Amino acid sequence: MSALVLDGLTKRYGSTVAVHGASLRIPHGQFVCLLGPSGCGKTTLLRMIAGLEEPSGGRLLIDDRDITDTPAHTREFGMVFQSLALFPHLTAGENIAYPLRIRGVSRADQRRRAEELLELVRLPGVADRPVSKLSGGQRQRVAIARALALSPKLFLLDEPLSALDAKLREAMQIELKQLQRRLGITTIVVTHDQREAMTMADLVVVMSQGRIHQAASPMEVYRQPADAFVADFIGLTNLLDGQVVQPGTVQVPGGALSLPNLPPSGRVLLSIRPEEVIVHPTSGDGSNGSLNRLPGTLSFMRDLGSSVEFRIDVAGKEIIALSRPQDRPPVEPGGALSVELPPGSCVVLPPMVAS
Ligand code: ATP
């Protein structure tokens, strides 16, 4: 099966390394999101894939063919930029037909294809409207239709939805995903919005400081983050420093935990999602000796409607727990309680290194 392969792609701007040895295999038909904070190198990586930026090192292959030096205009990729880059004085149909026009396609065929594409992006009947008279969401669809006009091998989008308001943005995420499914075209989208990435992607590529930290399914980056950066960047998590004191036992603030998958010795970092932490009202002497329970004090609690959030002080370390309202334990701020960290919910990570 054909695939896009990034083999150690690197981009330097003087002393800045914008992308550092990015390696990735993207199977045909995947929806990929490049996700990370501002300045992590997402756009630079996308532009290298598009051929708009020359790599300082590494290779790019499609279907085993090296295209590192292939000019952008002959790569047959479709691209949508954040700015959309539509021609404001042209109609929607003329914008979409533009790539066909410059390739000498007949007027009748241009018109037919533009109408077909408008149908595809669920915008029929606007071919003759100037793009300046269209809404933000409609312009977005015109830009997508134009990028698809030449049936590209690869569809690349740089923050395509960032100018839209939250509600429209969410609707467009679902629509873009459905469109990609229908067309089966390999698609790579740059976003800094993790919810957007989780909604659309088959493969989430989490980047920071020019490096790919993890490339995996949305479920996997959430449940099995590769390192502390991914655990902390994707959703909310509790990170606990630990010291392995004997095989299978790690000392953390407030007590010892019994866990599988621990290294034989040394320091580790544990990641546990707030919804996995179980809050127990402590009975009697404040310690019931149960496995993987740490005693603490409730410092803050808030009702979020669909869940209740607890902030618990455990030996000076704050642990966040989320409960379903119906499971809410009878505890009040200032009260003693214990938190249970189930072994299967604790992800063991390498210790954080100071950068
Ligand atoms: P954002 O989400 O803010 O767009 P990004 O993750 O897409 O950020 P890039 O735009 O790829 O990040 O930038 C990565 C790094 O490379 C940044 O430090 C940026 O300042 C630098 N950089 C990008 N383009 C250039 C350029 N043309 N010249 C010099 N430095 C650049």
Side-chain angles (χ1 to χ4, degrees):
M1 200 62 168
S2 56
L4 179 73
V5 174
L6 284 56
D7 178 16
L9 278 186
T10 296
K11 182 69 189 181
R12 287 185 212 95
Y13 295 108
S15 60
T16 305
V17 187
V19 175
H20 193 112
S23 290
L24 189 65
R25 185 179 184 282
I26 301 173
H28 181 74
Q30 291 264 295
F31 197 125
V32 180
C33 282
L34 304 181
L35 174 69
S38 182
C40 72
K42 314 178 285 291
T43 295
T44 304
L45 184 56
L46 189 82
R47 289 176 60 82
M48 283 196 282
I49 295 170
L52 300 171
E53 211 68 71
E54 195 186 331
S56 318
R59 297 182 311 155
L60 186 68
L61 300 108
I62 194 159
D63 303 340
D64 299 325
R65 196 163 55 85
D66 190 329
I67 57 160
T68 317
D69 300 320
T70 305
H73 67 276
T74 59
R75 287 191 184 189
E76 296 171 54
F77 298 168
M79 185 138 186
V80 176
F81 299 93
Q82 192 172 353
S83 64
L84 302 187
L86 293 171
F87 301 113
H89 57 287
L90 298 184
T91 65
E94 287 164 345
N95 263 285
I96 295 169
Y98 187 78
L100 303 166
R101 194 172 107 197
I102 58 175
R103 274 170 180 76
V105 173
S106 74
R107 271 185 166 275
D109 284 347
Q110 285 178 35
R111 176 84 194 178
R112 196 184 37 76
R113 180 80 176 129
E115 281 174 1
E116 195 179 282
L117 286 158
L118 281 167
E119 201 74 53
L120 186 74
V121 296
R122 301 188 204 284
L123 209 58
V126 306
D128 296 323
R129 295 251 292 276
V131 285
S132 54
K133 298 260 167 14
L134 298 178
S135 72
Q138 289 172 324
R139 277 203 285 268
Q140 200 74 44
R141 288 163 209 237
V142 172
I144 289 169
R146 184 179 61 180
L148 295 172
L150 294 170
S151 304
K153 283 191 193 136
L154 197 62
F155 191 25
L156 307 172
L157 304 97
D158 189 359
E159 302 259 9
L161 310 178
S162 59
L164 305 178
D165 66 60
K167 212 162 175 182
L168 183 56
R169 186 180 173 136
E170 197 137 311
M172 284 296 294
Q173 288 165 6
I174 294 169
E175 219 166 279
L176 191 54
K177 173 75 185 174
Q178 288 172 331
L179 176 68
Q180 189 268 346
R181 278 257 164 84
R182 284 206 303 281
L183 297 175
I185 180 173
T186 309
T187 299
I188 306 177
V189 176
V190 162
T191 181
H192 61 265
D193 179 342
Q194 52 157 298
R195 203 176 142 89
E196 183 163 297
M198 303 300 254
T199 303
M200 300 193 299
D202 301 309
L203 189 68
V204 180
V205 179
V206 186
M207 295 180 66
S208 163
Q209 298 186 345
R211 291 176 192 271
I212 295 178
H213 281 238
Q214 188 170 14
S217 69
M219 180 69 105
E220 198 176 335
V221 292
Y222 188 77
R223 298 242 166 255
Q224 288 298 322
D227 59 26
F229 175 79
V230 179
D232 201 34
F233 187 70
I234 306 283
L236 192 61
T237 201
N238 294 292
L239 291 172
L240 295 178
D241 280 314
Q243 175 76 40
V244 179
V245 287
Q246 63 182 64
T249 305
V250 60
Q251 183 71 36
V252 296
L257 302 174
S258 178
L259 298 179
N261 306 324
L262 284 171
S265 62
R267 287 183 56 223
V268 292
L269 192 68
L270 303 179
S271 167
I272 178 160
R273 299 290 179 190
E275 65 273 21
E276 305 284 351
V277 176
I278 305 168
V279 179
H280 297 278
T282 314
S283 56
D285 63 359
S287 132
N288 51 21
S290 298
L291 201 61
N292 288 357
R293 282 198 192 182
L294 307 172
T297 308
L298 182 62
S299 47
F300 180 73
M301 176 171 70
R302 60 177 172 165
D303 202 325
L304 299 171
S306 59
S307 61
V308 186
E309 181 188 297
F310 300 88
R311 289 183 181 244
I312 300 138
D313 183 332
V314 174
K317 165 79 187 165
E318 182 176 74
I319 291 188
I320 301 176
L322 284 176
S323 291
R324 297 190 309 168
Q326 59 269 40
D327 299 336
R328 177 190 197 134
V331 285
E332 294 300 329
L337 44 71
S338 65
V339 290
E340 181 181 343
L341 310 181
S345 304
C346 295
V347 180
V348 181
L349 302 171
M352 202 110 67
V353 279
S355 56

